[in-house]
Amino acid sequence: MSSQVQLPKEFYPLMEELQVVDFVLVELTLYLDTHPDDYAAIQQFNDASYHRRMLVPKVEQYIGPLQQYGNSYSGYPWNWNQAPWPWQI
């Protein structure tokens, strides 16, 4: 049984922003799969990707790592099994 973790109010706007950026990246990926020469879309993708790289550490400071396989650092102790998971928020 897992107890609900109380997160600071500053976390929620960051998580919402991350979800928006992830949505943009997925949509641009789908678009670029069929429009690989759209320079403006590639620029938007790269800007969103950079924004995500800057945003992820801010989110992770509240809930721990978002990605495995070396894409995110782990706190001590190993915190991959700690709730809340991003989809539980």
Side-chain angles (χ1 to χ4, degrees), residues 45-62:
F45 179 88
N46 289 335
D47 289 345
S49 180
Y50 177 81
H51 184 72
R52 187 181 196 284
R53 279 193 296 266
M54 298 299 110
L55 187 58
V56 164
K58 295 176 185 177
V59 172
E60 289 181 332
Q61 76 180 348
Y62 292 104

Side-chain angles (χ1 to χ4, degrees), residues 33-48:
D33 283 346
T34 59
H35 300 80
D37 296 322
D38 188 331
Y39 184 75
I42 294 170
Q43 286 181 310
Q44 289 177 336
F45 179 88
N46 289 335
D47 289 345

Side-chain angles (χ1 to χ4, degrees), residues 66-78:
L66 293 172
Q67 298 178 321
Q68 181 46 289
Y69 306 111
N71 292 310
S72 296
Y73 292 104
S74 176
Y76 180 84
W78 182 255

Side-chain angles (χ1 to χ4, degrees), residues 2-8 12 62-63 82-85 88-89:
S2 173
S3 62
Q4 183 66 25
V5 175
Q6 186 68 14
L7 295 167
Y12 295 98
Y62 292 104
I63 62 170
Q82 295 175 1
W85 296 93
Q88 293 175 318
I89 298 169

